[in-house]
Amino acid sequence: MSTLVNESRRAFLKGAGGLCLAVYLRPALAAADASQAFEPNAFVRIAPDDTVTIIAKHLEMGQGTYTGLATLVAEELDAAWSQIRVEGAPADVRRYANLLWGAQGTGGSTAMANSFEQMRRAGAAARHMLVAAASREWGVPAAEITVRAGVVSHKASGRQARFGEFAAQAAQEPVPEPEDIRLKDPRDFVYIGRHVPRKDSRDKITGRALFTADVQLPGMLTALVAHPPRFGARLKNFDATAARAVPGVVDVVAIPQGVAVLGRDFWSAKRGRDALRVEWDESRAFRGSTAEMLEH
C-alpha cells in the first residue's frame, strides 16, 4: 500500500454526470379547516399564523445552506424575511435527492447549484396558488393582484391580506403546471445576491440549536473507536481489562476498523478508549512520509 490516490473535486464532478434541475410538486392538500397548513409542494409550508417554513434538503454545516436555500424560496414567494423558518428535510430520497448525485446528501458545493431553480420554482408555485385563492375570494383578476413582503394586495379595491389568511383557500387551488410558473427576472431580485440575516445564527448563539452530540435516547450508548495509527494497519490483539474497569464502560468489541469502546456517555467511552492496550499489525500499512506524499 505505497500508492496514494487523491481524486480532485473537478474530476469527481466530471465523472458524476451533468446537472439536472427539477421540482417535485405534490397535489395540494385539501384544507379541512382553517387550522391546516398550506403545503403546495415538498419544500414550502404556510401556516395560518403566517409562518412560512422552508424544508431544506441540504444540511446546514456552517456554510449557510439554510439561509441560502430560504432566500431562493422567499424570493419567488415574495415573503417577508421575518416570517421565514427553516426545517431540515426528513429522510426521503424520492422528494429530497441531491439532483447532481441522485441520492440524498450534502457536499461538494452542490446545494445551491442544484437547488437554484428547484427551490425558486417551489416558491413561485406557492405564490401562484395564493394569488389564485385571493383572486377567487375577492372576485378580481389574478393579473391585478400583487404580492410583496408577505402581503397579497389588490390596489384598485384596496384589499390586502397576509399569507396565513389565505392558507386554507390556497390549499384548495390546483398546483400549477411547470409551464405556468413564471420566475422573476434577476433585475427584480430582493433577496438573491444580497445580504440577509442568517436563519441559524440565533439558535446557535442562544444554545437552542440541536446538534448530533445533543441527541439522547433511552438506553443509548456512545461508542468511541481506537483506530490504527497507519492506513492499512490491522488489529493484531488488544487487552480491554483496564478499559472495562472504567466506570460507565459497558463493553469493548473488535470491529473491522479497530476496537470500539461502548460507554453510557462520551467521557466514559473516552476514558475507556484511553485505557485500551492495543497491538497493531502494520505489515501491510502505508509507510510513505509527508515529503514522499507531497512529491507524489
Side-chain angles (χ1 to χ4, degrees), residues 212-225 243 246-252 260-274:
T212 304
D214 298 321
V215 175
Q216 294 293 325
L217 301 175
M220 187 179 82
L221 301 178
T222 296
L224 290 185
V225 178
V246 174
V249 171
V250 175
D251 202 359
V252 180
V261 178
L262 284 68
R264 300 193 186 283
D265 52 64
F266 173 85
W267 189 239
S268 297
K270 168 72 166 57
R271 292 181 60 217
R273 186 182 64 176
D274 292 345

Coordinates of all heavy atoms in Angstrom, one line a residue, residues 212-225 243 246-252 260-274:
T212 N -25.9 16.7 16.7 CA -25.9 15.3 16.8 C -25.5 14.9 18.2 O -26.1 13.9 18.8 CB -25.0 14.7 15.8 OG1 -25.4 15.1 14.5 CG2 -25.1 13.1 15.8
A213 N -24.5 15.5 18.8 CA -24.0 15.1 20.1 C -25.0 15.4 21.2 O -24.8 14.9 22.3 CB -22.7 15.9 20.3
D214 N -26.0 16.2 20.9 CA -27.0 16.6 21.9 C -28.1 15.5 22.0 O -28.9 15.5 22.9 CB -27.6 17.9 21.6 CG -26.6 19.1 21.6 OD1 -25.8 19.0 22.5 OD2 -26.8 19.9 20.7
V215 N -28.2 14.6 21.0 CA -29.3 13.7 21.0 C -29.1 12.6 22.0 O -28.0 12.0 22.1 CB -29.4 13.0 19.6 CG1 -30.5 11.9 19.5 CG2 -29.7 14.1 18.5
Q216 N -30.1 12.4 22.8 CA -30.1 11.4 23.9 C -31.4 10.6 23.8 O -32.4 11.1 23.9 CB -29.9 12.0 25.2 CG -28.6 12.7 25.5 CD -27.4 11.7 25.5 OE1 -27.6 10.6 26.0 NE2 -26.3 12.2 25.1
L217 N -31.2 9.2 23.6 CA -32.4 8.3 23.5 C -32.3 7.3 24.7 O -31.2 7.1 25.2 CB -32.4 7.6 22.2 CG -32.4 8.5 20.9 CD1 -32.3 7.6 19.7 CD2 -33.7 9.3 20.9
P218 N -33.4 6.8 25.1 CA -33.4 5.8 26.2 C -32.5 4.6 25.9 O -32.6 4.0 24.8 CB -34.9 5.4 26.2 CG -35.7 6.5 25.7 CD -34.8 7.1 24.6
G219 N -31.6 4.4 26.8 CA -30.7 3.2 26.7 C -29.6 3.4 25.7 O -28.8 2.5 25.4
M220 N -29.4 4.7 25.2 CA -28.4 4.9 24.1 C -27.0 4.9 24.7 O -26.8 5.4 25.8 CB -28.6 6.3 23.5 CG -27.7 6.6 22.3 SD -28.1 8.2 21.5 CE -27.2 9.3 22.6
L221 N -26.1 4.3 24.0 CA -24.7 4.2 24.4 C -23.8 5.1 23.4 O -24.3 5.3 22.3 CB -24.1 2.8 24.4 CG -24.8 1.8 25.3 CD1 -24.2 0.4 25.2 CD2 -24.8 2.3 26.8
T222 N -22.7 5.5 23.9 CA -21.7 6.2 23.0 C -20.5 5.3 22.7 O -20.0 4.7 23.6 CB -21.2 7.5 23.7 OG1 -22.3 8.4 23.9 CG2 -20.2 8.2 22.8
A223 N -20.2 5.2 21.4 CA -19.0 4.3 21.1 C -17.9 5.2 20.5 O -18.1 6.1 19.7 CB -19.5 3.3 20.0
L224 N -16.7 5.0 21.0 CA -15.5 5.6 20.5 C -14.6 4.5 20.0 O -14.4 3.5 20.7 CB -14.8 6.4 21.6 CG -15.5 7.7 22.0 CD1 -14.7 8.5 23.0 CD2 -15.8 8.6 20.8
V225 N -14.0 4.7 18.9 CA -13.2 3.7 18.2 C -11.7 4.0 18.3 O -11.3 5.1 18.0 CB -13.6 3.5 16.8 CG1 -12.7 2.4 16.1 CG2 -15.1 3.1 16.7
A243 N -9.8 -1.0 30.4 CA -10.9 -0.2 29.8 C -12.3 -0.6 30.4 O -13.1 0.2 30.7 CB -11.0 -0.4 28.3
V246 N -13.2 1.0 33.8 CA -13.6 2.4 33.9 C -15.1 2.5 34.1 O -15.9 1.9 33.4 CB -13.3 3.1 32.6 CG1 -13.8 4.5 32.6 CG2 -11.8 3.1 32.3
P247 N -15.6 3.2 35.2 CA -17.0 3.4 35.4 C -17.7 3.9 34.2 O -17.3 4.9 33.6 CB -17.0 4.4 36.6 CG -15.7 4.2 37.3 CD -14.7 3.9 36.1
G248 N -18.8 3.3 33.9 CA -19.6 3.8 32.7 C -19.3 3.0 31.4 O -20.1 3.1 30.5
V249 N -18.2 2.3 31.4 CA -17.9 1.5 30.2 C -18.8 0.2 30.2 O -18.8 -0.5 31.2 CB -16.5 1.1 30.1 CG1 -16.2 0.1 29.0 CG2 -15.6 2.4 29.8
V250 N -19.5 -0.1 29.2 CA -20.5 -1.2 29.1 C -19.8 -2.4 28.4 O -20.0 -3.5 28.8 CB -21.8 -0.8 28.4 CG1 -22.7 -2.0 28.2 CG2 -22.5 0.3 29.2
D251 N -19.1 -2.1 27.3 CA -18.5 -3.3 26.5 C -17.3 -2.7 25.7 O -17.2 -1.5 25.4 CB -19.6 -3.9 25.7 CG -19.2 -5.3 25.3 OD1 -18.1 -5.8 25.7 OD2 -20.0 -5.9 24.5
V252 N -16.5 -3.7 25.3 CA -15.4 -3.4 24.4 C -15.4 -4.5 23.3 O -15.4 -5.7 23.7 CB -14.0 -3.4 25.1 CG1 -12.9 -3.1 24.1 CG2 -14.0 -2.4 26.3
A260 N -13.8 -0.8 19.4 CA -14.9 0.1 19.8 C -15.1 -0.1 21.3 O -15.3 -1.2 21.8 CB -16.2 -0.1 19.1
V261 N -15.1 1.1 22.0 CA -15.5 1.1 23.5 C -16.8 1.7 23.6 O -17.0 2.9 23.2 CB -14.4 1.9 24.3 CG1 -14.8 1.9 25.7 CG2 -13.0 1.3 24.1
L262 N -17.8 1.0 24.2 CA -19.1 1.5 24.4 C -19.3 1.9 25.8 O -19.1 1.2 26.8 CB -20.1 0.4 24.1 CG -20.4 0.0 22.6 CD1 -19.1 -0.6 22.0 CD2 -21.6 -0.9 22.5
G263 N -19.7 3.2 26.0 CA -20.0 3.7 27.3 C -21.3 4.4 27.4 O -22.0 4.6 26.4
R264 N -21.7 4.6 28.7 CA -23.0 5.3 28.9 C -23.0 6.7 28.6 O -24.1 7.4 28.5 CB -23.4 5.1 30.4 CG -23.5 3.6 30.8 CD -24.3 3.4 32.1 NE -24.2 2.0 32.5 CZ -25.0 1.0 32.0 NH1 -25.9 1.3 31.0 NH2 -24.9 -0.2 32.4
D265 N -21.8 7.3 28.4 CA -21.7 8.7 28.0 C -20.4 8.9 27.3 O -19.5 8.0 27.3 CB -21.8 9.6 29.2 CG -20.9 9.3 30.3 OD1 -19.6 9.3 30.1 OD2 -21.3 8.9 31.4
F266 N -20.2 10.0 26.7 CA -18.9 10.3 25.9 C -17.7 10.1 26.8 O -16.7 9.5 26.4 CB -19.0 11.7 25.3 CG -17.7 12.1 24.6 CD1 -17.4 11.7 23.3 CD2 -16.7 12.8 25.3 CE1 -16.2 12.0 22.7 CE2 -15.5 13.1 24.7 CZ -15.3 12.7 23.4
W267 N -17.7 10.8 28.0 CA -16.5 10.8 28.8 C -16.1 9.4 29.3 O -14.9 9.1 29.3 CB -16.7 11.7 30.0 CG -15.4 12.0 30.8 CD1 -15.2 11.7 32.1 CD2 -14.2 12.5 30.3 NE1 -14.0 12.1 32.5 CE2 -13.3 12.6 31.4 CE3 -13.8 13.0 29.0 CZ2 -12.0 13.1 31.3 CZ3 -12.5 13.5 28.9 CH2 -11.6 13.5 30.0
S268 N -17.1 8.6 29.6 CA -16.8 7.2 30.0 C -16.1 6.4 28.8 O -15.1 5.7 29.0 CB -18.1 6.5 30.4 OG -18.6 7.1 31.6
A269 N -16.7 6.6 27.6 CA -16.2 5.9 26.5 C -14.8 6.4 26.1 O -13.9 5.6 25.7 CB -17.1 6.1 25.3
K270 N -14.6 7.7 26.3 CA -13.3 8.3 26.0 C -12.2 7.8 27.0 O -11.1 7.4 26.6 CB -13.4 9.8 26.2 CG -12.1 10.6 26.2 CD -11.4 10.6 24.8 CE -10.3 11.7 24.8 NZ -9.2 11.5 25.8
R271 N -12.5 7.7 28.2 CA -11.6 7.2 29.2 C -11.3 5.8 29.0 O -10.2 5.3 29.2 CB -12.1 7.5 30.7 CG -12.2 9.0 31.0 CD -12.7 9.1 32.5 NE -11.8 8.4 33.4 CZ -12.3 7.8 34.5 NH1 -13.6 7.7 34.7 NH2 -11.4 7.2 35.3
G272 N -12.3 5.0 28.6 CA -12.2 3.6 28.4 C -11.3 3.4 27.2 O -10.4 2.5 27.2
R273 N -11.4 4.1 26.1 CA -10.6 4.0 24.9 C -9.1 4.3 25.3 O -8.2 3.7 24.8 CB -11.1 4.9 23.8 CG -10.3 4.7 22.5 CD -10.8 5.6 21.4 NE -10.5 7.0 21.7 CZ -10.8 8.0 20.9 NH1 -11.3 7.8 19.7 NH2 -10.5 9.2 21.2
D274 N -8.9 5.4 26.1 CA -7.6 5.7 26.5 C -6.9 4.6 27.3 O -5.7 4.5 27.3 CB -7.6 7.0 27.3 CG -8.0 8.3 26.5 OD1 -8.0 8.2 25.3 OD2 -8.4 9.3 27.1

